[in-house]
């Protein structure tokens, strides 16, 4: 019982147990299963599958039944010549109104129709398979987009967390210097202004740390949103920004611009090829409408008519039946199909032009991504070198100050330079990682569906 009370009084322990841990690949796999946009694209594919089955149903027998009971409130009169009733009647005798029909009538009929031949239907079956492929490719396109968003959000968290760690080290180092200087001031070996300057430095670092802490929280919110998690869900990232091997990234990501690229690795291009195929089938479908269509039909039913309503259900009904074949041959439609085909050919040509444009765009994206990634990598390495240099300068300046051969202002300048170098490094690191994601997307390697 005591153990249970202790557990309930430790919400941090409960949160730790509920926390989910994700590597980058695990976060992407989770996102493609739970992201709302991906789920909607899956629903679109399921809707497309329903549309395909609806099309296939056209070739199946179409069975229907109908029935009616009618009250002929006013029965129409038909006028017949008088001679029809009296052969001796004068030709000029007025026509005699005759009522044909009964007060009440009923009918019940069943119909069966079966398509025998329709050239456009067979073409529609081919289009259905292409339509299915297009729906699946749209799902893949949604997953690639989600993978891009998750990767960028994941890297953003890692960069901000690494920046927070270094800020903690900076605060610890400057605070130690502040305490030492404060002690020297009490002993009369340091001026009050030196203490104040260091105190300002510590306060600025603490304020910056709080800003980064808030940014980390916001980055986690964004990552959870992209993954399809709730804002209040507790997650942890298992990867560390320090584990990224820049040499390996350069080797695997930065490709020679002369390398032949398989455009089908880009889901946008593969999707456009399916759209081209559908547009081509659409053109062919218009030509198929010039072919005749053939269908068979059969019907069977009963009907009756009585002057008394109750007799409709007590007296005999009379059956009837018919079978036959319908043949429809298009002859002239005012050139409608001709101009429909013309419009669809234009649509096909536009789609083909879009394919050429997309190829050129992909070539440009790959080359831009390659150059940008190289530049980002070079800038990152330069900034990393600057951080190491600024750190060494700050260390030496601090030693000189402690030994009495340097000034407090030099220490503050060195610390400011060190902090600026760190900020520049993290900006470069963030840009590099975002560029890496763009390069992976441009080369079709960001998400393979595995």
């Amino acid at each position: 019982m005591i153990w249970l009370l202790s557990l309930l009084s430790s919400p941090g322990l409960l949160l730790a147990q509920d926390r989910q841990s994700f590597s980058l690949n695990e976060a992407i796999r989770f996102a493609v299963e739970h992201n709302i946009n991906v789920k909607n694209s899956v629903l679109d594919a399921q809707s497309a599958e329903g549309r395909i089955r609806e099309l296939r149903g056209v070739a199946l027998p179409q069975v229907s039944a109908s029935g009616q009971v009618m009250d002929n409130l006013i029965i129409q009169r038909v006028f017949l010549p008088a001679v029809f009733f009296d052969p001796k009647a004068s030709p000029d005798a007025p026509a005699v109104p005759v009522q044909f029909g009964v007060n009440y009538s009923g009918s019940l009929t069943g119909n069966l129709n079966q398509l025998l031949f329709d050239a456009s239907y067979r073409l529609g079956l081919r289009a259905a398979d292409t339509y299915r492929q297009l729906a699946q490719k749209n799902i893949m396109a949604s997953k690639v987009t989600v993978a891009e968003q998750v990767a960028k959000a994941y890297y953003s968290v890692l960069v901000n967390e690494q920046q927070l760690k270094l800020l903690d080290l900076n605060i610890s180092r400057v605070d130690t210097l502040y305490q030492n200087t404060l002690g020297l001031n009490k002993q009369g070996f340091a001026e009050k202004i030196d203490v104040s300057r260091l105190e300002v430095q510590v306060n600025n670092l603490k304020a910056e740390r709080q800003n980064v802490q808030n940014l980390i929280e916001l980055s986690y919110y964004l990552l959870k949103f992209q993954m399809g998690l709730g804002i209040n869900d507790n997650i942890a990232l298992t990867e560390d920004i320090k584990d990224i091997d820049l040499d390996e990234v350069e080797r695997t990501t930065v490709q020679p611009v002369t390398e032949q690229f398989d455009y089908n690795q880009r889901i946008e291009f593969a999707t456009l090829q399916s759209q081209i195929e559908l547009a081509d089938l659409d053109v062919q479908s218009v030509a198929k409408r010039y072919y005749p269509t053939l269908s068979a039909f059969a019907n069977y039913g009963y009907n009756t008519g009585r002057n008394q309503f109750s007799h409709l259900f007590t007296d005999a009904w009379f059956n009837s039946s018919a079978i036959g074949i319908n043949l429809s041959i298009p002859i002239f439609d005012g050139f409608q199909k001709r101009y429909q085909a013309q419009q669809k050919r234009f649509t096909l040509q536009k789609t083909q032009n879009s394919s050429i444009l997309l190829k050129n765009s992909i070539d440009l994206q790959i080359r831009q991504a390659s150059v940008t990634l190289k530049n980002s990598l070079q800038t990152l390495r330069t900034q990393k070198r600057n951080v190491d240099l600024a750190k060494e300068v700050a260390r030496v300046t601090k030693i000189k100050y402690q030994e009495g051969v340097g000034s407090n202002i030099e220490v503050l300048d060195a610390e400011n330079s060190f902090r600026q170098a760190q900020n520049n490094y993290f900006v470069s690191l963030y840009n590099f990682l975002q560029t890496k994601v763009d390069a992976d997307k441009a080369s079709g390697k960001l998400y393979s569906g595995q």
Side-chain angles (χ1 to χ4, degrees):
M1 185 65 177
I2 295 177
W3 173 84
L4 179 59
L5 291 175
S6 175
L7 180 62
L8 293 176
S9 64
S10 304
L13 180 58
L14 290 175
L15 289 175
Q17 291 176 343
D18 294 338
R19 179 179 299 175
Q20 303 178 71
S21 298
F22 295 96
S23 66
L24 175 58
N25 289 334
E26 290 171 345
I28 291 176
R29 283 197 296 268
F30 184 92
V32 298
E33 294 178 2
H34 297 86
N35 185 276
I36 297 299
N37 292 327
V38 176
K39 289 183 177 180
N40 285 341
S41 64
V42 172
L43 291 176
D44 289 338
Q46 292 174 345
S47 177
E49 189 66 29
R51 179 68 184 89
I52 292 171
R53 294 180 180 180
E54 176 187 353
L55 175 63
R56 293 183 182 277
V58 173
L60 298 177
Q62 311 294 307
V63 181
S64 64
S66 62
Q68 69 173 11
V69 173
M70 186 166 55
D71 181 355
N72 301 304
L73 298 176
I74 300 176
I75 301 175
Q76 183 178 0
R77 267 69 172 177
V78 177
F79 293 90
L80 298 178
V83 70
F84 187 82
F85 299 95
D86 184 4
K88 298 179 180 181
S90 170
D92 298 329
V96 179
V98 179
Q99 175 179 298
F100 283 95
V102 292
N103 293 334
Y104 301 97
S105 61
S107 65
L108 180 63
T109 306
N111 296 283
L112 169 66
N113 289 277
Q114 174 63 58
L115 180 67
L116 299 179
F117 175 78
D118 187 342
S120 62
Y121 173 76
R122 294 183 177 274
L123 194 65
L125 294 181
R126 290 175 53 192
D129 290 334
T130 305
Y131 190 51
R132 179 184 290 109
Q133 296 173 13
L134 180 61
Q136 295 300 318
K137 290 175 181 177
N138 287 335
I139 294 177
M140 187 63 180
S142 293
K143 291 181 177 181
V144 170
T145 300
V146 169
E148 176 189 9
Q149 295 169 343
V150 169
K152 289 185 175 181
Y154 193 99
Y155 284 138
S156 178
V157 174
L158 293 185
V159 171
N160 290 328
E161 286 185 335
Q162 182 65 18
Q163 186 174 8
L164 185 65
K165 293 177 183 179
L166 289 182
L167 275 173
D168 287 338
L169 293 176
N170 290 344
I171 292 173
S172 176
R173 187 180 63 257
V174 177
D175 187 64
T176 299
L177 180 60
Y178 165 73
Q179 296 298 333
N180 293 338
T181 305
L182 182 61
L184 292 173
N185 173 256
K186 292 180 180 179
Q187 298 173 9
F189 296 106
E191 297 182 8
K192 179 63 177 177
I193 192 173
D194 294 338
V195 177
S196 298
R197 286 169 178 164
L198 287 171
E199 184 178 1
V200 170
Q201 185 80 350
V202 172
N203 291 338
N204 287 339
L205 286 172
K206 289 181 178 179
E208 185 177 351
R209 185 192 187 282
Q210 184 59 51
N211 291 337
V212 174
Q213 182 65 55
N214 294 338
L215 189 58
I216 290 174
E217 185 176 359
L218 182 61
S219 299
Y220 267 108
Y221 288 156
L222 178 60
L223 176 59
K224 288 186 284 188
F225 172 78
Q226 302 293 4
M227 291 175 61
L229 287 167
I231 295 298
N232 296 321
D233 289 338
N234 198 8
I235 66 172
L237 309 188
T238 60
E239 296 192 13
D240 195 316
I241 206 72
K242 294 183 295 185
D243 296 333
I244 297 177
D245 187 342
L246 298 183
D247 294 330
E248 178 67 14
V249 170
E250 183 175 21
R251 185 185 66 82
T252 58
T253 308
V254 181
Q255 299 180 0
V257 295
T258 57
E259 183 177 335
Q260 184 64 33
F261 181 71
D262 180 9
Y263 296 101
N264 285 308
Q265 292 182 23
R266 288 286 296 270
I267 187 62
E268 301 96 322
F269 184 81
T271 300
L272 191 56
Q273 298 314 298
S274 294
Q275 292 175 347
I276 290 175
E277 186 175 352
L278 281 176
D280 181 55
L281 291 173
D282 214 12
V283 173
Q284 297 180 42
S285 69
V286 178
K288 298 296 184 182
R289 295 176 194 169
Y290 287 101
Y291 288 75
T293 59
L294 183 66
S295 63
F297 70 89
N299 60 60
Y300 186 86
Y302 290 87
N303 71 320
T304 188
R306 297 290 185 268
N307 285 321
Q308 298 293 327
F309 182 77
S310 59
H311 291 175
L312 286 178
F313 306 100
T314 57
D315 293 351
W317 286 51
F318 303 94
N319 62 347
S320 62
S321 180
I323 60 173
I325 291 179
N326 283 323
L327 177 64
S328 176
I329 303 176
I331 297 176
F332 181 71
D333 64 352
F335 303 107
Q336 293 183 50
K337 286 190 285 292
R338 174 184 175 182
Y339 292 110
Q340 287 174 2
Q342 185 184 68
Q343 296 173 59
K344 293 183 183 300
R345 280 194 295 270
F346 291 151
T347 300
L348 174 59
Q349 291 174 8
K350 287 175 59 179
T351 310
Q352 291 171 336
N353 291 339
S354 297
S355 178
I356 297 174
L357 180 62
L358 182 57
K359 279 186 176 182
N360 295 333
S361 177
I362 290 174
D363 290 338
L364 178 61
Q365 290 173 15
I366 291 175
R367 282 154 179 77
Q368 284 181 330
S370 179
V371 173
T372 304
L373 189 62
K374 286 180 181 178
N375 291 341
S376 297
L377 191 58
Q378 182 178 352
T379 302
L380 179 61
R381 284 174 169 158
T382 300
Q383 295 300 335
K384 180 65 171 63
R385 175 61 177 164
N386 289 342
V387 169
D388 295 337
L389 293 173
K391 181 179 180 181
E392 179 62 18
V393 171
R395 185 187 70 83
V396 173
T397 305
K398 178 180 177 182
I399 293 175
K400 290 174 61 178
Y401 174 71
Q402 291 173 341
E403 293 179 352
V405 294
S407 67
N408 177 266
I409 294 178
E410 290 178 340
V411 173
L412 291 177
D413 287 343
E415 287 293 339
N416 287 332
S417 297
F418 182 36
R419 186 174 62 174
Q420 185 61 46
Q422 287 179 330
N423 289 337
N424 292 339
Y425 169 75
F426 284 115
V427 170
S428 300
L429 180 60
Y430 178 79
N431 291 336
F432 164 73
L433 292 174
Q434 302 297 302
T435 304
K436 178 182 179 300
V437 174
D438 292 336
D440 288 339
K441 181 181 179 182
S443 60
K445 298 178 181 178
L446 180 61
Y447 179 77
S448 61
Q450 301 297 327

